[in-house]
Amino acid sequence: MGKLTPFHVAIPVHDVQLARAFYRDVIGCPEGRSTEKWVDFDLYGHQFVIHYKPKAESEKTHTNAVDGHEVPVPHYGVVLEWQDWEKLAEKLKLHDIRFLIEPYIRFKGQPGEQATMFFLDPCGNALEFKAFKDLSQMFAT
């Protein structure tokens, strides 16, 4: 794997202040530039932006089966160091975050074994945070 550079992703939120508080206070992202319509965050070294978009009347959630769980699509997140993943999982539990998929070890004993968890932000965006004890297994088949 070559040198990784930060990614940039912008997501829609129907309530900027609610989402801002979640990403800043629950996830722990330092805040950067902002307006009433958007906020930049440092998401584990990546440029993550929330942008206001009015709430859609009905957006059906799509899922795909992975390792016996229904994974929401689309979703986003970060591959963390193992101990950072464990700390985030505990922090989310302390904030009473409802998990779509509880923190667990996926593909246990197989190539690509990983810790993973899925949950929603307050605007309904699906997040996945994961970790590998051996990062070289990230693309293992």
Side-chain angles (χ1 to χ4, degrees), residues 41-96:
F41 290 102
D42 175 344
L43 179 65
Y44 294 94
H46 301 284
Q47 187 183 38
F48 177 76
V49 186
I50 58 172
H51 278 274
Y52 174 74
K53 177 185 174 192
K55 188 173 186 175
E57 291 302 314
S58 72
E59 288 186 20
K60 186 179 178 204
T61 302
H62 177 79
T63 62
N64 286 328
V66 179
D67 194 39
H69 294 274
E70 290 300 317
V71 170
V73 179
H75 64 266
Y76 58 89
V78 178
V79 176
L80 301 174
E81 296 289 333
W82 196 272
Q83 61 275 16
D84 293 334
W85 182 89
E86 289 175 327
K87 287 178 195 172
L88 179 59
E90 288 307 312
K91 184 177 184 179
L92 294 170
K93 289 175 186 177
L94 289 173
H95 282 275
D96 294 322

Side-chain angles (χ1 to χ4, degrees), residues 3-134:
K3 179 184 175 220
L4 291 176
T5 58
F7 68 75
H8 165 84
V9 65
I11 64 156
V13 297
H14 63 268
D15 186 323
V16 172
Q17 295 309 317
L18 184 64
R20 170 186 248 156
F22 175 79
Y23 286 102
R24 181 189 60 220
D25 303 336
V26 177
I27 302 297
C29 298
E31 191 174 313
R33 291 179 305 264
S34 66
T35 72
E36 291 179 9
K37 300 282 185 181
W38 58 267
V39 181
D40 281 346
F41 290 102
D42 175 344
L43 179 65
Y44 294 94
H46 301 284
Q47 187 183 38
F48 177 76
V49 186
I50 58 172
H51 278 274
Y52 174 74
K53 177 185 174 192
K55 188 173 186 175
E57 291 302 314
S58 72
E59 288 186 20
K60 186 179 178 204
T61 302
H62 177 79
T63 62
N64 286 328
V66 179
D67 194 39
H69 294 274
E70 290 300 317
V71 170
V73 179
H75 64 266
Y76 58 89
V78 178
V79 176
L80 301 174
E81 296 289 333
W82 196 272
Q83 61 275 16
D84 293 334
W85 182 89
E86 289 175 327
K87 287 178 195 172
L88 179 59
E90 288 307 312
K91 184 177 184 179
L92 294 170
K93 289 175 186 177
L94 289 173
H95 282 275
D96 294 322
I97 298 300
R98 187 179 73 80
F99 291 96
L100 297 174
I101 299 175
E102 293 280 337
Y104 85 107
I105 307 303
R106 176 192 283 166
F107 309 130
K108 196 169 185 92
Q110 301 174 45
E113 180 177 298
Q114 60 197 257
T116 189
M117 60 181 144
F118 285 83
F119 53 96
L120 300 177
D121 76 6
C123 294
N125 294 296
L127 295 95
E128 176 187 20
F129 285 84
K130 58 171 65 179
F132 295 83
K133 285 193 175 172
D134 178 359

